[in-house]
Every structure is written in structure tokens, then in C-alpha cells.
């Protein structure tokens, strides 16, 4: 089973340039997560946490998330509402299709101190089958404006407040009477899949079966065919037909090297973007870079040697530097001083030359 790690969070924070301290929204659904951990330390400014369809059994390690407004834990293994009292900005909580039974329904009262809470979803939990379920929740949480997608009416609020004491007594009695046994994964695994009761252990086993099936599919696919990495489209025969493109609105500099022997492309890439998502293609008069499928295509001012070109990426800043040596271009030699035959015997001239085929200075 997976755990919430810094690397996982950075991959999910690419829209925020990989920065976690200022991250306001994170989507971690369908990751096979069993625990809530690390979010309050890594992402203290988090406002939206999407954690649906995992295997989380307990709400914990959330007390420092003072800006959290929306927490989605639908389709997990939660049995009790807890440890959210200090999430002062919480306005929406989704616990759809968990395993909150009658005894767990009593814990809803803990949300009374979350004064900004307006929307709560508990549908699909065992507790929702209790006759007085809706009135109990509305009476316990007077700040609610919507329960399970239905607006709380003024009449409902009055009735719930009047009947809360009686309903609470009935709920406590029903919770004591109903013996709630929690089956282990090993116990459920011994039952045929089609006859297993729907419980937290069944959800864990179903997830394991899905992961096993996906792994088998990947292995089968890998052995039967070679994965083809996304490549560049063919260039037209006439270089004049090539258009410059910057689909990702990338920041870049295309300059000549200090000694005029090469063309250099400096491209600003987010330091948390995986290098496997970057493709580089160098043609004699064209350089192309793809980052996460978005193309930067530039014409070069001079023909370059494709075989001698290099691409390097800084581990600190993530900046990409592509060096492309000019074709048939030598280092500019130092200034040469030659005698010039003239009327003045002591007259001389400074001549700067560029070597092409020979390193000898031209005749003057």
C-alpha cells in the first residue's frame, strides 16, 4: 500500500511549480493510501484535499491545516468523525460511502465547533439507514446548510432541534443493541469473493486484486510490445516552411557563446518536472524541445553540428542548457599586427580575421 510522501506531493504540485509550502489544492485520489499523514507539515496552506477512493481508516494529522476548506474522504474506510475540530475554515466535508455505523454517527457532534461547516455528506454509510439519521445530524450541527446534497429547510431545523434529545436516546439504545463486529482481512479473504459482506476488509481485498490485475497487465504489455516514447513530427523539406512555436509559453534565451563558436539555448524548466518528460531534437538549422508534450521550436541563426551538441540540466534550478557548436566555424583568433607597405614606413594596421579553412591571416 502507498504512503503520502514528499515526492508524491511534488508530482501533484506541478501546477504550483512543485512548491508545497504555498500549495492550496492537492488531488490524491485512488492512490491506495491507508493513512492520512504528512499533509499538515508539507502543505500548511492547503485549502482543498481530494483523497477519495483510498483505504484511509482514520481521520488524523489534520489539526494544523487552519486554511482547509474542503476535505473529500469519500469511499474510504472511515468509521468515526474525529480530529477535525481545529480545522477552523472547514466548510465542506465529504464522507460518502465509508463505514460509519450507529456508534460512529454519535461522533458527528464533534463537528459542532466547526462553525464554518456548511456542507456534509454521509450518504452510503450504514448510519444513514437509521430512521432519525437526518434529524439527528441537523439537530447536532445547527450551522449546516446542506446535508447529502439537499438543503436544510427551516422546518427541518425546528423539528430536529425539538426532537434531538429523543432521537439521541434512540440512537444510543440502537448502538448498544446492535453488535458491530469488525472482520479482519484474513477472515474475509477465506470467503468466496461473491459472498463477502461489504466492509472495510472487503474494500482492502478488492483494491489488492485491482493492483495485482494492473501489474499483470503491465507485465504482459511490456513483454509483448515495446513502449514507444512520444516523438517529434517530421520537419518539412524546405526550412522556410518551418514556423517557430512556443506552446508552453516557456521562458528562454537563444544566444551565441562568448567565443562565437556555438549557439546556446537556455530554457527555464520547473526543477520538479521529471527529466523523462523532456525531449530534445537538434537539426542543422532547427532546435526543438518538448516538455510534457508542449513544443518549443526555434530556427537557428547559423547551421550547427548535431553530433557535437549537448544538453545539460541543472540539479539546483532545473534550467536546461543546450549547446550547439556552429558548423565549420573556428575560434576567433587573437588580433594580428601586420606591416602595411605605405608611404609612411612606421605606419601599421591592426587586422581582425575569422578563420574558415586555414588559420593563416589573409594577405593585406
Amino acid at each position: 500500500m502507498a504512503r503520502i510522501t514528499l515526492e508524491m506531493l511534488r508530482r501533484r504540485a506541478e501546477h504550483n511549480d512543485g512548491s508545497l509550502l504555498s500549495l492550496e489544492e492537492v488531488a490524491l485520489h485512488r492512490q491506495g493510501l491507508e493513512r492520512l499523514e504528512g499533509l499538515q507539515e508539507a502543505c500548511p496552506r492547503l485549502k482543498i484535499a481530494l483523497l477519495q477512493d483510498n483505504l484511509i481508516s482514520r481521520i488524523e494529522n489534520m489539526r494544523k491545516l487552519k486554511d482547509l476548506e474542503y476535505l473529500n474522504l469519500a469511499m474510504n474506510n472511515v468509521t468515526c468523525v474525529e480530529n477535525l475540530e481545529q480545522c477552523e475554515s472547514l466548510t465542506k466535508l465529504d464522507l460518502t460511502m465509508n463505514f460509519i455505523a450507529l456508534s460512529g454517527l454519535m461522533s458527528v457532534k464533534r463537528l459542532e465547533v466547526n462553525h464554518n461547516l456548511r456542507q456534509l455528506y454521509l450518504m452510503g454509510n450504514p448510519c444513514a439507514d437509521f430512521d432519525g439519521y437526518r434529524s439527528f445530524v441537523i439537530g447536532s450541527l445547527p450551522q449546516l446548510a446542506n446535508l447529502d446534497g439537499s438543503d436544510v429547510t427551516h422546518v427541518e431545523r425546528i423539528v430536529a432541534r425539538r426532537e434531538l434529545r429523543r432521537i439521541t436516546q434512540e440512537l444510543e439504545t440502537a448502538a448498544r443493541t446492535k453488535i458491530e463486529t469488525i472482520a479482519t482481512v484474513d477472515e474475509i479473504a477465506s470467503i468466496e469473493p461473491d459472498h463477502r459482506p461489504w466492509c472495510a476488509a472487503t474494500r482492502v481485498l478488492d483494491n489488492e486484486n485491482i493492483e495485482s490485475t494492473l501489474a499483470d497487465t503491465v507485465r504482459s504489455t511490456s513483454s509483448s510490445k515495446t513502449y514507444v516514447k512520444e516523438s517529434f513530427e517530421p520537419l518539412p523539406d524546405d526550412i522556410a516552411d518551418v514556423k517557430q512555436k512556443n506552446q508552453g509559453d516557456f521562458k528562454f534565451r537563444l544566444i551565441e557563446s562568448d567565443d562565437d563558436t556555438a549557439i546556446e539555448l537556455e530554457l527555464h524548466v520547473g526543477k520538479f518536472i521529471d527529466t523523462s518528460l523532456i525531449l530534445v531534437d537538434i537539426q542543422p538549422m532547427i532546435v526543438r524541445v518538448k516538455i510534457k508534450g508542449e513544443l518549443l521550436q526555434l530556427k537557428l541563426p547559423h547551421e550547427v553540428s548535431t553530433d557535437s551538441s549537448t544538453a545539460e540540466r541543472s540539479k539546483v534550478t532545473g534550467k536546461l542548457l543546450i549547446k550547439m557548436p556552429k558548423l565549420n566555424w573556428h575560434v576567433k583568433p587573437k588580433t594580428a599586427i601586420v606591416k602595411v607597405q605605405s608611404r609612411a614606413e612606421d605606419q601599421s594596421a591592426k587586422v581582425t580575421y575569422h578563420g574558415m579553412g586555414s588559420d593563416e591571416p589573409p594577405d593585406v
Side-chain angles (χ1 to χ4, degrees):
M1 302 300 173
R3 298 184 62 180
I4 299 176
T5 63
L6 289 177
E7 183 60 32
M8 177 187 290
L9 291 173
R10 287 192 181 105
R11 289 200 303 270
R12 299 286 173 161
E14 288 182 356
H15 62 283
N16 198 46
D17 293 330
S19 175
L20 298 183
L21 292 178
S22 62
L23 186 66
E24 295 185 351
E25 179 178 347
V26 66
L28 296 170
H29 50 281
R30 292 190 177 184
Q31 297 297 306
L33 303 173
E34 289 186 318
R35 286 197 63 191
L36 270 176
E37 56 185 344
L39 288 178
Q40 62 181 0
E41 292 82 12
C43 313
R45 301 293 179 86
L46 203 61
K47 291 185 177 180
I48 300 174
L50 306 177
L51 292 146
Q52 64 269 31
D53 202 3
N54 281 291
L55 303 170
I56 297 167
S57 60
R58 188 182 179 198
I59 304 174
E60 57 185 340
N61 300 317
M62 305 290 284
R63 67 184 184 281
K64 295 180 181 179
L65 296 176
K66 303 298 183 181
D67 297 327
L68 186 66
E69 298 175 1
Y70 175 30
L71 175 60
N72 191 333
L73 285 169
M75 294 182 289
N76 276 277
N77 291 342
V78 175
T79 59
C80 178
V81 181
E82 57 185 337
N83 299 320
L84 292 174
E85 294 88 342
Q86 296 183 54
C87 296
E88 301 165 358
S89 302
L90 189 65
T91 60
K92 182 177 179 180
L93 176 61
D94 193 341
L95 294 170
T96 301
M97 294 183 66
N98 276 269
F99 295 98
I100 301 174
L102 295 180
S103 59
L105 181 58
M106 300 291 295
S107 64
V108 167
K109 288 186 175 182
R110 296 175 181 172
L111 296 174
E112 187 177 8
V113 298
N114 297 91
H115 300 296
N116 291 310
L117 185 64
R118 296 293 179 267
Q119 299 181 64
L120 177 63
Y121 291 83
L122 291 169
M123 64 177 72
N125 284 275
C127 65
D129 296 332
F130 176 63
D131 287 339
Y133 151 74
R134 186 172 175 88
S135 291
F136 174 77
V137 176
I138 294 173
S140 300
L141 304 175
Q143 74 273 36
L144 274 189
N146 187 289
L147 176 60
D148 292 334
S150 298
D151 290 340
V152 178
T153 65
H154 181 63
V155 174
E156 278 185 312
R157 209 180 297 278
I158 294 174
V159 172
R161 187 163 53 242
R162 185 180 64 216
E163 300 292 329
L164 180 59
R165 185 172 182 179
R166 178 186 61 81
I167 295 173
T168 301
Q169 292 175 347
E170 291 179 356
L171 177 59
E172 291 173 346
T173 302
R176 287 195 301 267
T177 304
K178 186 176 179 59
I179 301 175
E180 299 170 358
T181 57
I182 301 177
T184 65
V185 173
D186 291 337
E187 290 172 343
I188 297 299
S190 62
I191 304 174
E192 289 294 324
D194 292 338
H195 301 289
R196 292 172 181 170
W198 182 239
C199 60
T202 303
R203 178 171 276 164
V204 171
L205 288 171
D206 287 351
N207 184 78
E208 290 178 352
N209 290 335
I210 292 173
E211 288 184 349
S212 177
T213 302
L214 288 174
D216 291 341
T217 302
V218 171
R219 283 194 294 269
S220 176
T221 304
S222 299
S223 60
S224 61
K225 66 178 183 179
T226 303
Y227 172 70
V228 180
K229 193 173 185 178
E230 182 185 7
S231 58
F232 295 92
E233 295 179 359
L235 289 171
D237 294 333
D238 189 352
I239 196 69
D241 295 333
V242 177
K243 296 181 179 180
Q244 302 199 111
K245 299 179 181 179
N246 189 0
Q247 296 175 345
D249 196 23
F250 302 114
K251 295 180 180 179
F252 69 89
R253 282 203 316 158
L254 188 65
I255 58 176
E256 292 191 357
S257 61
D258 293 338
D259 57 7
D260 291 334
T261 62
I263 307 294
E264 295 181 352
L265 173 61
E266 290 183 2
L267 182 58
H268 293 267
V269 181
K271 64 180 178 180
F272 295 113
I273 293 180
D274 197 294
T275 304
S276 63
L277 300 176
I278 303 174
L279 301 178
V280 177
D281 177 48
I282 301 173
Q283 300 295 329
M285 293 296 295
I286 297 289
V287 59
R288 297 187 290 179
V289 181
K290 263 190 180 182
I291 302 175
K292 296 176 64 177
E294 295 182 318
L295 177 64
L296 173 66
Q297 182 169 280
L298 302 172
K299 292 183 178 180
L300 300 175
H302 194 284
E303 189 174 3
V304 300
S305 172
T306 58
D307 294 337
S308 303
S309 298
T310 60
E312 298 177 348
R313 190 178 178 201
S314 170
K315 293 182 179 180
V316 178
T317 64
K319 183 185 293 184
L320 182 66
L321 176 61
I322 302 175
K323 295 182 179 180
M324 299 163 282
K326 295 179 181 179
L327 198 65
N328 298 324
W329 194 265
H330 297 288
V331 177
K332 186 185 294 184
K334 296 181 179 179
T335 301
I337 301 177
V338 297
K339 285 285 184 178
V340 179
Q341 299 296 327
S342 65
R343 294 176 183 176
E345 291 292 330
D346 58 346
Q347 185 179 4
S348 62
K350 295 183 178 180
V351 180
T352 300
Y353 66 91
H354 299 286
M356 294 298 292
S358 171
D359 289 334
E360 294 297 325
D363 295 332
V364 179

